[in-house]
Amino acid sequence: MFKVIGTRLNQGYRTSPYPNQPVRLSSRFRGLPEINAACDPAIVRRCAGLCPQEAIAAEKRTIDLGRCTFCGACAQVEDGAFVRFSGIFEMGAARREDLIVSGALPDLASHAKAHFKKLFGRSLQLRQVSAGGCNACEADTNVLNTPFFDLSRFGIDFVASPRHADGIHVTGPITRNMRTALLDTYAAVPAPKVVIASGCCAISGGPFYGSEDIIGDLNSLIPVDLYIPGCPPHPLTTLHALLAFFK
């Protein structure tokens, strides 16, 4: 016991001050893109042509965050003349169309469904479903359970059984081999329940977009309530989305 107390005194308080205090991420982090609407059309077309995800609509001058892997290729064209990536990690959305951006995202808290806040505002239990992903999204989600982020202090936990859950947190492009397992897990969660699509794979298929071996769009199988873009989403992106939407 004394050893535990001594360690605590020695290490001090290590939990992140977010959301009580703002957090600034490394300059290498690629967050919400900043788009220059007045950019030369030729440069915009070059950016669109370089995008491996076909996430850039040159005519509309928008970026689909549901497809974007934040590879940064577009930001290298003419030193970011059309696109620059900011350090803003707050990128959750309640509607799929909100992820197609030309500027700022709509305020997530104002788009959250009121009955979700009423039902899950005090306690939210989620069952994580890895539907064929590379494990990057799962790894960055697991980080939220460490003492630094301490997700449980907000009343949010990941549970082992879908029967103990309020909803599912889905990652991966939803391979055809995982389709039945995913639907069975969803069916096992008691109503009312929520569905979260985390990462571009679950939202649109990500790097596997167009493959016949994946579903690639979670919303085509079950109704999605919350979208968290990224490849993978930064832990703070996930934390912000959960707090804004449910708390």
Side-chain angles (χ1 to χ4, degrees), residues 40-137:
D40 184 339
I43 296 177
V44 179
R45 288 192 293 270
R46 282 176 59 192
C47 292
L50 282 174
C51 182
Q53 300 301 113
E54 300 179 356
I56 299 176
E59 297 301 322
K60 297 181 179 179
R61 303 191 175 209
T62 60
I63 296 180
D64 185 350
L65 298 184
R67 287 191 183 183
C68 181
T69 59
F70 296 81
C71 68
C74 55
Q76 296 177 13
V77 177
E78 298 294 334
D79 195 28
F82 175 55
V83 180
R84 292 179 182 271
F85 287 92
S86 71
I88 299 174
F89 56 81
E90 297 94 339
M91 293 185 288
R95 300 177 302 186
R96 177 66 179 89
E97 57 268 26
D98 289 342
L99 292 179
I100 302 175
V101 300
S102 58
L105 283 164
D107 179 53
L108 178 58
S110 64
H111 283 76
K113 298 175 182 177
H115 68 285
F116 282 161
K117 289 184 182 290
K118 182 177 180 180
L119 288 170
F120 309 125
R122 287 184 174 272
S123 175
L124 176 67
Q125 313 297 312
L126 296 172
R127 176 66 168 95
Q128 207 283 321
V129 180
S130 176
C134 68
N135 205 42
C137 289

Side-chain angles (χ1 to χ4, degrees), residues 154-202:
F154 303 108
I156 304 174
D157 292 286
F158 287 92
V159 295
S161 171
R163 299 191 184 280
H164 301 159
D166 301 309
I168 57 174
H169 177 273
V170 183
T171 56
I174 314 162
T175 62
R176 296 197 177 278
N177 289 339
M178 278 297 298
R179 182 180 184 277
T180 299
L182 172 61
L183 292 177
D184 286 348
T185 303
Y186 174 72
V189 178
K193 49 192 167 185
V194 297
V195 177
I196 302 169
S198 182
C200 63
C201 283

